[in-house]
Amino acid sequence: MKKTLFMLLALTSISFAGAKHYDVTFGSPAVLGGTAVASGQYELSFDGSKVTLLNSNTHKSVEATATVQTSDKKYSETIVQSKHVDGKDLVNEIQLGGTKTALDFKN
């Protein structure tokens, strides 16, 4: 029983350790697919179309939905593509550095 529990905990730790996180900063309030996000520094992670942004200062998280796109080449750095409208950044896409993945947000 103890051996089984230990193996389960070890596997759980490995799965959490393998999750990728990307640092993203919003200089202004942002909107990602209809989800409002306050300005600040965030740790971004995603699982399928579910995107989670964890504020580095407040430790509050926000969830948004995105379409995962795959490029032919790797992105050299994480880039937020947006347009500034009425004091907010409407985020169209976030390209994830070191990967071929881009998250596409419908605004």
Side-chain angles (χ1 to χ4, degrees), residues 26 28-32 80-93 105-107:
F26 299 110
S28 302
V31 178
L32 291 83
V80 177
Q81 294 185 348
S82 63
K83 56 185 169 185
H84 196 74
V85 178
D86 296 328
K88 295 180 181 176
D89 289 332
L90 302 180
V91 177
N92 298 320
E93 182 178 80
F105 297 92
K106 305 280 189 254
N107 284 309

Side-chain angles (χ1 to χ4, degrees), residues 27-82:
S28 302
V31 178
L32 291 83
T35 302
V37 178
S39 61
Q41 295 180 343
Y42 290 84
E43 188 175 274
L44 180 149
S45 61
F46 71 100
D47 183 14
S49 63
K50 179 182 160 186
V51 177
T52 303
L53 294 160
L54 177 65
N55 187 298
S56 299
N57 295 323
T58 65
H59 302 290
K60 292 183 181 178
S61 65
V62 176
E63 292 183 354
T65 302
T67 302
V68 179
Q69 304 288 337
T70 303
S71 173
D72 293 334
K73 61 182 177 104
K74 281 188 177 181
Y75 298 108
S76 60
E77 58 187 326
T78 299
I79 297 174
V80 177
Q81 294 185 348
S82 63

